[in-house]
Amino acid sequence: MSTATSASTPPGTDEGTAPVFAVDGLWKVFGPKADRVPADPELAALSPAELRSRTGCTAAVADVSFDVRKGEVFVVMGLSGSGKSTLVRCLTRLIEPTAGSIAIDGEDVRAMDKSRLRELRRHRAAMVFQHFGLLPHRTVLDNVAYGLEVQGVGRAERRERAAAIVAKVGLEGLEQRRPGQLSGGQRQRVGLARALAVDPEVLLFDEPFSALDPLIRRDMQEEVVRLHREEGRTMVFITHDLQEALKLGDRIALMRDGRVVQLGTPEEIVGSPADDYVREFVRDVPREQVLTVRTAMRPASSADEAGTGPAIRPGATVSEAIEAVARAGSPARVMSDGRCLGVVDAESLLSVVAGTAAAATAADGADAAAGSRAAGAAPVPPRAAPAERREPPTPPPATSEEPA
Amino acid sequence: MATLTASTQKTAPPGFLTHPAVRKLLALAIAAAILVPLAVTQWGGATWPSALTVDVSEPLGRASDWIIDNRDSHPLFLYFFGHVSNVVVLAVRAVYLALLAVGWAGVTAIGALVAWRVAGVRLALGTAVAFLACGLLGMWVPTMQTLALMVVAVLASVVVGALLGLAAGLSDRMDRVLRPVLDTMQVLPAFAYLLPVVLVFGIGVPAAVLATVVYAAPPMARLTSLGLRGADKEVLEAVESLGTTARQRLLTARVPLARKELLLGVNQTIMMALSMAVIASVIGAGGLGDRVYQALASVDVGAALAAGIPIVLLAVVLDRVTGAAGEQHDGEPGRSPLTWLYALGAAAAVAVAGRLAGFLDWPDGWEVNIAEPVNRAVDWMTAHLYSGVPVVGGTADWAAHFTSWVLNPLRDGLQWLPWWSVLLAVAALAWLIGTWRTALTAVLAMAAIGVLGVWTPSLDTLSQVLAAVAVTLVIGFATGIAAARSDRFERLLRPVLDVFQTMPQFVYLIPVVALFGVGRAPAVAAAVVYALPAVVRITTQGLRQVDPAALESARSLGATSGQQLRQVQLPLARPALLLAVNQGVVLVLAVVIIGGLVGGGALGYQVVFGLAQGDLASGLVAGAAIVCLGLMLDRVTQPTARRTRKGA
């Protein structure tokens, strides 16, 4: 296991390695004779309502394909009933998929026998659950050590390892409590610690924070960001909260009715929604906090403009640029390696906030959204270090407004 | 019933026809219009036509004779039942001797210490007082006999029940097979179990223990299965996601998560076992139940009470202590095994000290004979309260009036009704309340009674059940509504209900005999008293669990409290009220049958008579009729959802 990717080596830079999870054409159909639905192209193309009336089946996951790369936070987001929780359970076959293929580090998950699958669940992928799934009759420490106990680790060793993890998630002093005596946020820390204790290659999160209060949710999100920064562990994160998805995700797969409607970076999702559904979804997102200055950038009109004014990095968000421009009272330069890529001025920044630059990246985002299969194989830029990972492919400058 | 009257008032054709109740009745009416004339021309008359009966007593008699003849020679008995019987006898004997060897001081000390560790100081004191009271009443030896039988029966029931429950909890197929069987076993009166066991084992301790096991194992099995199935799905999923094997899941998650249900199952099994161990005195259980049985047979209320009080004390102590074990929170730190060790050591010390001091048998000088004063009091009551009390009359007068004004007309009316109309009424009621399935089962069960040739006595039993249920529901609903509306009243009522719900059925016969003598009216009175607590409790809970938001909105619209009750609480609590009716019927039937011991006649008497005369065949027929009657009554009153047992 190479989970101990240290914080210093930026994850994802080794492009040659296989994806952690490679999902291709995955289906999960509930209902009578579920097998025939993915096999029959005509049935496979039906809408959920039609499928239900024709066959009595529900396709919770329909022809989903994506790769999860080493070290990234891959967010699957969608409203309730969109199939995202089913999808994450299919990854370790907690729910048996109907069709398609899943590979972890190139190994076929669907072909695994029982003991191999147990091995996968014990060592390679650990899951954090929405309602925590803690054992009420065990102490915090024994809950955290449970995964190790299942593996057959001796009592003293597992307690020692569990104690270290308990400290890591900030639960020192609560080791001997029972889950019933903890608050919701503390319980989820136990759930997180339990998953971390087995030192898995991938962490799977199934809406882990939706049962928590907003303030505690924010704490926990920051906890996850911190853990990711420190350990660089690969994470698959399921959520129905767009803010959470944008905050945590390196890439986001947006699901609707079991299908992936768009897969891309937060900036691609917000900047160039693939269809009206996604557009409606991201309408209220404060765009200036997600989109980077590249969206608002124009070429420098003169050498003078390229030589003066505050410098900002290309990964900076529009809101950061607004602050810089407002302070300086002049356009700001977007600098990369000492070279001026372009400038942003108050007007161009304002048009991003107002959404009039929306069509700018539409053409670029189109291929990412063309379909889940295509999206999975779509070329993705090399990843930067987590600190400035929000680097999208450079969008062409915006000129025209998209027809309504 | 409410739907019946409501539906007949609607007369506008379209709306009237779409009402489901009316449609059901219409379908039934059409079926009746075709079948009834046919039936009447073929087999007229009020009672079940003799052409349609099958005489089963003769083959049953032959089977019983064969069993008696071959009990000592046939391999089935030699190598299976014989061993079972021997093991049971040995086990009961061993426990009994052990209890006597520990001595009264030792038993009391052990009981108190266990209660202290499990449930705290107060219950420990209560346990000690209860044991000492048993000794004081001169009932030490019978108490130990009953206790020995209970220990063996409860252990066997828990093991059998847990295994069945495990199977049903882990396998859906087993669950589908077992669930209807267990459900049905729970609604059958205890008396129905006695005869088949006696048929195989003869009268004696093995039969008593096995009847108890058969009666007491179902709640354990049901609750085990329920606990295993009711575990938090996400916890199980989380456990699975960590790569557990099926065995790890069972041992580290499913069983610990079902702890509460398992302990509740043990509690219910103990209570059912006590109830049955007492009733099984009819088939040779000995102990306290036997004392009550003998005393009731000679209408010696004092002696019956002396044996009845220990039963009640035993019931209350066992229920509270095992109940407290189940209520311990998961959050509490586990009790260390060391304190248990100390407790055991202390108990052993007391036992040894008692032995050395010669405190083995309860000293005769410490016994208090309450039989005589009680009998004097009963005699006084007989002389002064039975009849001729100015204005109010006397208890015997009430009983006589109840018999001649209510029970007799009801019985005669039922027996006067043509047999097909009884079936039709059963079908209509069952279908209105439940589904066509329950209606079919009910009609078939009722028809089976006719086929068995016990139509007339069954209707006699049915009339007692109906009268008792009516009284129970009127009193129970009124009390329940009052308790739901007044917190203070509920607080007063709760401990009373708690005690009443833990007492075995048998005990209720003692006070009613003291008050009303023997006959059908006392049996009905005992049934009412036995069924009341459950009905009151379910009614109160149902009313109190009505959605507070609905109630609040009614209040905000200015509804009076009467309007709130009629228009919001009662309609919303309808499922609970139906459940109360169902429970009331099942519980009433159980005691009405036992009422055969105090002159209730009908089916219960036939069972007792069959046992007493060794005429197992006719007793078995009556037992089968009881089963059918129980099935019919349960299905008729069965709302679509199932219920839990008494005390739920």
Side-chain angles (χ1 to χ4, degrees):
Chain A
M1 268 192 311
S2 56
T3 49
T5 319
S6 72
S8 57
T9 50
T13 45
D14 42 354
E15 269 194 289
T17 57
V20 177
F21 270 116
V23 176
D24 190 39
L26 190 71
W27 282 84
K28 175 62 200 180
V29 182
F30 293 104
K33 287 190 243 157
D35 290 342
R36 72 205 146 126
V37 177
D40 183 345
E42 191 203 347
L43 288 177
L46 291 177
S47 76
E50 286 170 333
L51 185 67
R52 187 160 189 85
S53 66
R54 284 261 305 262
T55 64
C57 292
T58 316
V61 176
D63 195 19
V64 167
S65 306
F66 59 85
D67 288 348
V68 178
R69 298 195 197 91
K70 195 163 200 55
E72 79 170 334
V73 179
F74 185 87
V75 173
V76 179
M77 112 126 242
L79 300 181
S80 55
S82 62
K84 55 192 190 307
S85 289
T86 309
L87 175 63
V88 76
R89 281 166 175 72
C90 285
L91 294 181
T92 57
R93 279 172 57 195
L94 286 175
I95 292 177
E96 203 64 50
T98 312
S101 73
I102 306 165
I104 179 165
D105 294 326
E107 187 183 353
D108 187 353
V109 174
R110 291 195 66 199
M112 287 180 176
D113 61 7
K114 268 189 172 171
S115 66
R116 193 84 193 106
L117 189 62
R118 267 206 301 275
E119 212 52 28
L120 162 73
R121 292 175 183 166
R122 285 183 180 182
H123 296 290
R124 292 161 78 177
M127 193 154 164
V128 181
F129 291 85
Q130 180 176 7
H131 297 111
F132 326 128
L134 303 177
L135 293 167
H137 57 284
R138 289 171 167 244
T139 61
V140 167
L141 195 65
D142 284 339
N143 260 297
V144 173
Y146 184 71
L148 299 170
E149 182 182 335
V150 166
Q151 295 174 12
V153 176
R155 190 186 177 87
E157 189 194 341
R158 67 173 189 251
R159 290 222 159 153
E160 191 182 326
R161 280 165 66 180
I165 300 285
V166 165
K168 190 177 207 164
V169 298
L171 288 175
E172 299 100 328
L174 302 179
E175 287 90 349
Q176 295 310 316
R177 298 271 186 94
R178 310 262 167 155
Q181 300 166 309
L182 300 180
S183 70
Q186 287 170 333
R187 281 186 219 181
Q188 194 56 292
R189 281 172 198 267
V190 178
L192 184 59
R194 180 178 62 187
L196 284 172
V198 299
D199 191 21
E201 192 178 346
V202 193
L203 273 178
L204 308 174
F205 292 86
D206 179 29
E207 300 203 37
F209 310 141
S210 37
L212 304 179
D213 292 338
L215 285 181
I216 303 199
R217 189 183 312 160
R218 205 172 61 197
D219 276 357
M220 293 299 292
Q221 287 165 356
E222 270 147 26
E223 185 81 27
V224 167
V225 169
R226 182 176 69 83
L227 276 171
H228 186 244
R229 198 165 44 227
E230 286 173 6
E231 302 188 324
R233 211 184 290 274
T234 313
M235 298 179 177
V236 177
F237 199 101
I238 308 294
T239 182
H240 66 252
D241 178 353
L242 184 62
Q243 297 294 342
E244 189 168 83
L246 296 173
K247 182 170 184 177
L248 300 175
D250 291 317
R251 289 191 304 146
I252 298 171
L254 214 148
M255 283 185 78
R256 181 195 189 187
D257 294 337
R259 293 176 193 270
V260 171
V261 289
Q262 187 171 6
L263 192 155
T265 61
E267 179 157 26
E268 283 166 357
I269 301 261
V270 174
S272 50
D275 60 12
D276 288 343
Y277 179 75
V278 182
R279 188 167 304 117
E280 192 59 25
F281 222 103
V282 300
R283 202 178 59 181
D284 294 330
V285 172
R287 307 163 55 80
E288 70 280 4
Q289 285 171 20
V290 179
L291 299 186
T292 60
V293 288
R294 291 185 199 238
T295 331
M297 202 164 65
R298 61 172 168 77
S301 54
S302 65
D304 178 48
E305 204 177 40
T308 58
I312 48 178
R313 53 193 174 80
T317 60
V318 168
S319 75
E320 285 168 320
I322 290 175
E323 195 188 334
V325 169
R327 274 186 207 285
S330 68
R333 294 173 299 153
V334 181
M335 302 291 284
S336 173
D337 298 329
R339 199 168 62 86
C340 176
L341 299 177
V343 295
V344 286
D345 56 19
E347 200 178 325
S348 63
L349 289 170
L350 199 59
S351 73
V352 171
V353 176
T356 48
T361 52
D364 184 57
D367 65 330
S372 48
R373 198 180 293 270
V380 174
R383 293 179 37 83
E388 43 168 61
R389 57 191 182 190
R390 300 264 156 76
E391 212 163 358
T394 317
T399 45
S400 66
E401 210 162 329
E402 190 176 275
Chain B
M1 293 294 266
T3 46
L4 183 68
T5 49
S7 59
T8 45
Q9 284 162 2
K10 288 191 182 173
T11 42
F16 157 84
L17 276 177
T18 52
H19 199 283
V22 178
R23 252 189 297 170
K24 286 176 180 179
L25 282 183
L26 217 62
L28 207 61
I30 292 168
I34 300 165
L35 290 176
V36 166
L38 252 161
V40 171
T41 49
Q42 275 283 336
W43 315 285
T47 183
W48 186 268
S50 57
L52 287 181
T53 58
V54 177
D55 183 23
V56 288
S57 61
E58 203 178 318
L60 274 177
R62 255 181 289 140
S64 140
D65 286 346
W66 182 86
I67 289 175
I68 292 167
D69 291 347
N70 290 284
R71 206 174 265 155
D72 297 326
S73 55
H74 196 272
L76 182 66
F77 288 93
L78 278 183
Y79 297 110
F80 182 67
F81 291 127
H83 287 305
V84 172
S85 169
N86 287 341
V87 167
V88 168
V89 170
L90 278 177
V92 173
R93 190 89 199 136
V95 176
Y96 176 60
L97 289 178
L99 285 172
L100 287 188
V102 172
W104 65 266
V107 170
T108 308
I110 292 171
L113 281 165
V114 168
W116 172 57
R117 291 317 305 155
V118 171
V121 176
R122 275 184 55 194
L123 271 176
L125 281 177
T127 307
V129 168
F131 272 118
L132 294 178
C134 294
L136 271 179
L137 287 168
M139 288 291 156
W140 187 256
V141 171
T143 305
M144 288 308 111
Q145 284 170 342
T146 299
L147 211 56
L149 196 143
M150 284 271 298
V151 168
V152 174
V154 165
L155 281 180
S157 307
V158 166
V159 170
V160 171
L163 287 177
L164 286 176
L166 207 62
L170 298 181
S171 145
D172 285 337
R173 189 180 300 169
M174 267 312 266
D175 189 49
R176 270 198 300 279
V177 173
L178 274 179
R179 185 182 294 250
V181 177
L182 295 178
D183 280 351
T184 307
M185 284 178 81
Q186 292 226 310
V187 301
L188 297 184
F191 249 46
Y193 293 104
L194 299 179
L195 278 154
V197 195
V198 169
L199 185 63
V200 176
F201 291 97
I203 286 180
V205 170
V209 169
L210 285 166
T212 309
V213 170
V214 172
Y215 186 65
M220 186 70 204
R222 279 178 57 114
L223 282 159
T224 307
S225 161
L226 193 76
L228 289 177
R229 287 182 176 274
D232 186 343
K233 288 278 173 297
E234 202 175 34
V235 175
L236 292 184
E237 198 173 33
V239 167
E240 196 183 352
S241 83
L242 288 164
T244 46
T245 59
R247 204 167 136 257
Q248 283 174 326
R249 274 202 289 286
L250 182 67
L251 293 180
T252 60
R254 297 189 78 157
V255 168
L257 286 175
R259 178 176 177 273
K260 207 166 187 149
E261 281 83 2
L262 290 177
L263 286 170
L264 184 63
V266 173
N267 171 283
Q268 297 230 336
T269 293
I270 290 178
M271 298 323 289
M272 304 270 289
L274 179 59
S275 178
M276 190 63 170
V278 173
I279 292 173
S281 58
V282 184
I283 56 168
L288 292 170
D290 194 45
R291 299 295 179 98
V292 176
Y293 179 45
Q294 303 293 349
L296 281 180
S298 53
V299 202
D300 182 353
V301 176
L305 198 65
I309 291 173
I311 295 176
V312 173
L313 291 175
L314 215 53
V316 173
V317 163
L318 284 171
D319 181 56
R320 295 301 177 274
V321 172
T322 51
E327 273 161 21
Q328 276 176 15
H329 295 297
D330 292 322
E332 275 177 36
R335 297 179 190 281
S336 74
L338 210 62
T339 50
W340 272 104
L341 219 61
Y342 287 140
L344 271 180
V350 173
V352 170
R355 213 186 157 84
L356 292 176
F359 278 5
L360 272 187
D361 299 324
W362 185 270
D364 288 337
W366 293 9
E367 279 173 17
V368 178
N369 187 359
I370 65 158
E372 273 176 42
V374 168
N375 276 337
R376 267 203 302 281
V378 172
D379 287 343
W380 181 88
M381 271 170 46
T382 317
H384 295 89
L385 297 181
Y386 258 35
S387 65
V389 180
V391 187
V392 289
T395 52
D397 290 347
W398 296 346
H401 288 154
F402 188 74
T403 309
S404 55
W405 290 347
V406 178
L407 287 176
N408 284 345
L410 200 57
R411 180 182 64 184
D412 297 344
L414 277 176
Q415 288 173 349
W416 167 83
L417 276 179
W419 57 274
W420 46 265
S421 67
V422 174
L423 290 186
L424 215 56
V426 165
L429 264 179
W431 204 2
L432 283 178
I433 296 178
T435 61
W436 66 268
R437 258 172 223 276
T438 57
L440 192 65
T441 320
V443 170
L444 286 180
M446 199 65 208
I449 291 174
V451 172
L452 286 170
V454 280
W455 185 256
T456 313
S458 297
L459 287 185
D460 186 359
T461 299
L462 186 61
S463 73
Q464 295 176 37
V465 170
L466 290 181
V469 165
V471 176
T472 308
L473 291 184
V474 168
I475 304 178
F477 282 162
T479 319
I481 289 172
R485 293 168 72 89
S486 154
D487 286 333
R488 188 187 301 169
F489 184 52
E490 202 199 356
R491 267 201 305 281
L492 283 176
L493 204 60
R494 182 170 294 170
V496 180
L497 293 183
D498 280 346
V499 171
F500 272 59
Q501 279 201 307
T502 47
M503 287 204 279
Q505 305 155 0
F506 211 53
V507 179
Y508 288 92
L509 297 178
I510 303 169
V512 295
V513 168
L515 275 176
F516 303 119
V518 293
R520 277 180 292 151
V524 168
V528 170
V529 180
Y530 180 65
L532 254 182
V535 171
V536 169
R537 181 153 281 177
I538 297 171
T539 309
T540 312
Q541 275 175 359
L543 288 177
R544 283 191 176 259
Q545 276 162 9
V546 163
D547 182 8
L551 212 56
E552 196 171 27
S553 67
R555 240 196 331 271
S556 79
L557 290 169
T560 64
S561 61
Q563 282 172 322
Q564 285 171 36
L565 181 69
R566 275 194 313 279
Q567 295 165 357
V568 182
Q569 285 180 301
L570 287 180
L572 286 182
R574 184 166 175 266
L577 298 183
L578 279 177
L579 178 66
V581 173
N582 180 272
Q583 285 285 286
V585 168
V586 168
L587 298 175
V588 158
L589 176 68
V591 175
V592 162
I593 298 289
I594 296 177
L597 292 173
V598 293
L603 291 176
Y605 176 71
Q606 291 197 359
V607 172
V608 180
F609 184 79
L611 282 170
Q613 300 291 313
D615 179 10
L616 291 184
S618 65
L620 274 171
V621 171
I626 293 171
V627 170
C628 292
L629 204 59
L631 259 181
M632 187 277 282
L633 285 168
D634 176 58
R635 294 305 190 270
V636 163
T637 54
Q638 187 176 85
T640 22
R642 288 291 326 186
R643 84 239 110 223
T644 46
R645 183 72 189 175
K646 182 191 186 205

